[in-house]
Amino acid sequence: MDIRLCEAPFDPWQSLQEHQIKQKPLQGKYGATSVFVGTMRDFNQGDDVRRMYLDHYPGMTEKQLQKIVDQTQAQWRLLDYLIIHRVGEVRPNEALVLVAVWSTHRGDAFDASRFIMENLKSQAPFWKKEILASGQQRWVEKNTDGYQVHHG
């Protein structure tokens, strides 16, 4: 069970594998692993984005992430979890967030993973400043609902 914030780029699949190696006592106990990896796009709101700065409130952000996990564990049976979130400067195609949960059954794993990710997006104190191809900088004022807008 691990929550981490990191300033350096990370490989989510390597982090997942390293975490699973430490799970020897859980081997044979879990039947489902749900994994979400969020990656920085090179566009947002119709503009080309060159990089982004993710600011956070040290100490408070980790507490809020733990609170989200505690709420999750009150609703679903999890055997383990791993959350890694980037802070600092991030470039397109770098991983922003990894949420992985392990449970006995897939329903708990799917629902818990979604709950953590949606609450992380709406409740965790992260602030994003985008640096556009034009050189303009802007704060991201709201997160999307997680679905692509369909036109027509």
Side-chain angles (χ1 to χ4, degrees), residues 15-112:
S15 298
L16 190 64
Q17 187 174 28
E18 290 168 0
H19 187 84
Q20 279 197 289
I21 289 170
K22 297 179 207 169
Q23 287 181 324
K24 289 199 188 245
L26 293 179
Q27 288 179 352
K29 306 275 188 266
Y30 57 84
T33 304
S34 182
V35 177
F36 175 85
V37 176
T39 305
M40 185 182 161
R41 296 184 310 261
D42 64 359
F43 64 94
N44 192 27
Q45 299 175 343
D47 295 309
D48 292 333
V49 179
R50 295 289 187 235
R51 61 187 192 277
M52 179 170 61
Y53 186 79
L54 271 165
D55 203 357
H56 72 294
Y57 199 132
M60 179 188 281
T61 302
E62 293 89 337
K63 281 184 185 176
Q64 187 61 37
L65 291 173
Q66 185 61 57
K67 184 177 173 185
I68 291 167
V69 168
D70 292 345
Q71 292 169 341
T72 306
Q73 290 183 302
Q75 295 185 57
W76 295 281
R77 300 186 68 153
L78 301 183
L79 297 171
D80 196 7
Y81 60 83
L82 172 63
I83 299 172
I84 303 175
H85 202 292
R86 283 288 304 278
V87 294
E89 188 171 291
V90 183
R91 296 195 177 267
N93 205 40
E94 290 181 352
L96 285 171
V97 61
L98 165 67
V99 173
V101 298
W102 289 263
S103 65
T104 305
H105 299 285
R106 70 183 179 279
D108 289 318
F110 280 134
D111 294 348

